[in-house]
């Protein structure tokens, strides 16, 4: 099959592309390799993918209509789109809200318009986020929960993407599946994520910041489990024409436990500074994954302690290589 993967130089896009190439599929990758975090890391991921003769790469922005039209002309037989390109990060959305609207809203529309031109397209899978659950207090989060109270511009942009996708399904019959990711971590991960920032600070004997609160916790989801979920959805023969799935570990782990796992694997104690939690950050996340289990039988396999061990093994080898 022929796949288009946007954000191929990103964390999830890289691992998904690698898995698809290992199956013998053809992957058309798009990434603008921007400098939100180290372009060297993004380029290193792409270089690994370029080893395969079945990988074709375009350095382009998903909001660039002419670039996407060129891809359609060169690859009219694209069958599946994984739209994983995004402006990520909750805190950065306070500094640069325009970047989130441009990439996560305008970019979604541009990809949807591109999809309408592909005669053999079967389905679009697109990245959403657990952040859409916003100010919800009930745990675990289910796909039926209200998502109209976002706590950040990032969350609002992701919910906007979901609404646009449903609209294009309604108007044009595009089959689409939304993916609400819960705190994905692992080797080749994003340096702006807390686990990566903590690992770097602990290694360098620098202070890390934790938020106060009795229930500061996350549903940490290991990257290999995420890819397993995506492949299970890809192979599922009973997907509805439009739907949304939580992609999480369905385990609630205190952030302090994450720090303890990092300390154990790095062999150093963290220097911790506690501050009040900002309003943009959700206190706790926990996924209900019964919907994807019922559809595909997928269940995550990786405990946080095991996943952090694998991450730190990679981190020790690669820390400092990408700026």
């Amino acid at each position: 099959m022929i796949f288009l993967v946007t954000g191929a130089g990103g964390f999830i896009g890289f691992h998904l592309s690698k898995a698809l190439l290992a199956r013998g599929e053809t992957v058309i990758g798009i990434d603008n390799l921007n400098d939100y975090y180290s372009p060297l890391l993004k380029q290193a991921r792409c270089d690994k993918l370029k080893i395969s003769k079945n990988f074709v790469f375009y350095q382009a922005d998903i909001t660039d209509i002419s670039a996407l039209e060129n891809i359609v002309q060169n690859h009219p037989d694209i069958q599946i789109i994984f739209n994983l390109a995004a402006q990520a990060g909750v805190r950065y959305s306070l500094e640069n809200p325009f970047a989130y609207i441009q990439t996560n809203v305008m970019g979604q529309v541009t990809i949807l318009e591109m999809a309408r031109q592909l005669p053999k397209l079967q389905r679009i899978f697109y990245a959403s986020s657990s952040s859409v659950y916003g100010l919800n207090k009930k745990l675990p989060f289910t796909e039926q929960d209200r998502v109209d109270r976002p706590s950040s511009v990032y969350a609002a942009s992701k919910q906007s993407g979901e609404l646009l996708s449903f609209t294009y399904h309604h108007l044009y019959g595009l089959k689409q599946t939304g993916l609400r990711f819960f705190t994905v971590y692992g080797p080749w991960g994003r340096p702006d994520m807390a686990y990566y920032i903590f690992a770097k600070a602990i290694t360098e004997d620098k202070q890390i910041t934790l938020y106060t609160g009795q229930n500061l916790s996350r549903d940490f989801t290991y990257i290999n489990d995420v890819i397993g979920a995506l492949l299970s959805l890809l192979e599922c023969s009973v997907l509805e024409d439009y739907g949304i799935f939580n992609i999480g570990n369905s385990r609630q782990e205190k952030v302090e436990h994450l720090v303890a796992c990092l300390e154990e694997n790095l062999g150093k104690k963290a220097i911790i500074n506690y501050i009040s939690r900002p309003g943009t950050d959700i206190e706790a996340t926990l996924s209900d994954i019964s919907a994807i289990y019922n559809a595909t039988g997928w269940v995550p396999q990786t405990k946080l302690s095991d996943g952090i061990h694998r991450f730190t093994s990679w981190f020790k080898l690669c820390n400092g290589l990408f700026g």
Side-chain angles (χ1 to χ4, degrees):
M1 294 183 71
I2 301 175
F3 292 79
L4 173 71
V5 178
T6 74
F11 179 31
I12 299 176
F14 161 67
H15 281 280
L16 175 64
S17 297
K18 187 170 67 169
L20 292 172
L21 292 168
R23 289 162 44 123
E25 315 289 5
T26 296
V27 176
I28 315 301
I30 306 176
D31 202 294
N32 64 2
L33 303 179
N34 69 21
D35 62 358
Y36 168 64
Y37 63 81
S38 171
L40 294 175
L41 175 55
K42 298 175 183 180
Q43 187 63 61
R45 294 176 184 139
C46 288
D47 288 345
K48 282 192 164 290
L49 297 175
K50 289 176 183 177
I51 294 172
S52 172
K53 60 179 176 57
N54 289 339
F55 182 71
V56 180
F57 181 68
Y58 291 86
Q59 184 171 345
D61 194 292
I62 60 168
T63 63
D64 186 337
I65 296 172
S66 61
L68 295 189
E69 288 177 345
N70 180 57
I71 292 171
V72 168
Q73 292 172 4
N74 292 338
H75 308 281
D77 294 337
I78 290 170
Q79 296 161 283
I80 300 288
I81 294 176
F82 277 94
N83 184 22
L84 304 178
Q87 177 57 60
V90 171
R91 295 178 192 91
Y92 184 59
S93 67
L94 290 173
E95 302 174 33
N96 188 3
F98 301 104
Y100 291 78
I101 303 305
Q102 177 71 5
T103 301
N104 299 350
V105 181
M106 183 61 185
Q108 187 87 336
V109 174
T110 309
I111 289 294
L112 290 166
E113 281 293 314
M114 173 195 190
R116 294 176 58 203
Q117 303 175 45
L118 294 168
K120 296 186 179 180
L121 184 69
Q122 298 176 15
R123 183 175 293 270
I124 303 169
F125 296 89
Y126 66 91
S128 187
S129 169
S130 61
S131 292
V132 301
Y133 291 109
L135 299 178
N136 286 0
K137 300 296 184 183
K138 178 187 71 65
L139 293 175
F141 297 145
T142 73
E143 293 87 348
Q144 290 73 43
D145 290 340
R146 64 185 297 183
V147 290
D148 58 351
R149 296 182 297 171
S151 60
S152 66
V153 173
Y154 171 63
S157 71
K158 281 303 190 180
Q159 171 59 359
S160 298
E162 291 185 358
L163 292 171
L164 286 165
S165 285
F166 178 81
T167 302
Y168 271 71
H169 161 66
H170 170 70
L171 292 175
Y172 306 112
L174 292 176
K175 295 181 179 180
Q176 298 188 63
T177 301
L179 311 162
R180 290 178 178 168
F181 295 118
F182 281 71
T183 315
V184 185
Y185 74 100
W188 294 95
R190 283 171 35 205
D192 66 313
M193 295 285 285
Y195 72 94
Y196 202 122
I197 293 171
F198 293 169
K200 189 171 178 63
I202 292 170
T203 300
E204 297 174 357
D205 296 313
K206 294 180 179 178
Q207 193 176 79
I208 69 172
T209 298
L210 292 186
Y211 300 139
T212 55
Q214 294 297 314
N215 194 35
L216 187 64
S217 57
R218 290 290 181 269
D219 190 342
F220 296 103
T221 315
Y222 188 61
I223 184 62
N224 288 16
D225 288 331
V226 170
I227 301 308
L230 301 189
L231 295 180
S232 74
L233 288 168
L234 180 63
E235 295 165 357
C236 182
S237 60
V238 294
L239 284 184
E240 295 183 0
D241 288 353
Y242 182 85
I244 294 174
F245 292 96
N246 287 337
I247 310 294
N249 201 37
S250 202
R251 291 190 179 102
Q252 191 174 12
E253 304 276 7
K254 289 190 177 297
V255 175
E256 289 178 335
H257 177 50
L258 166 69
V259 174
C261 290
L262 288 167
E263 290 175 327
E264 179 181 351
N265 283 277
L266 294 171
K268 302 182 82 170
K269 295 295 289 184
I271 305 168
I272 302 175
N273 176 43
Y274 287 95
I275 65 172
S276 298
R277 179 173 58 87
T280 54
D281 271 56
I282 301 171
E283 183 178 27
T285 64
L286 179 63
S287 61
D288 181 329
I289 56 172
S290 56
I292 187 172
Y293 172 76
N294 290 336
T296 71
W298 173 82
V299 291
Q301 303 293 323
T302 310
K303 295 180 181 177
L304 180 62
S305 57
D306 294 334
I308 290 297
H309 175 71
R310 296 171 197 168
F311 163 70
T312 53
S313 296
W314 172 85
F315 179 82
K316 290 173 186 177
L317 293 174
C318 297
N319 183 34
L321 293 180
F322 310 117

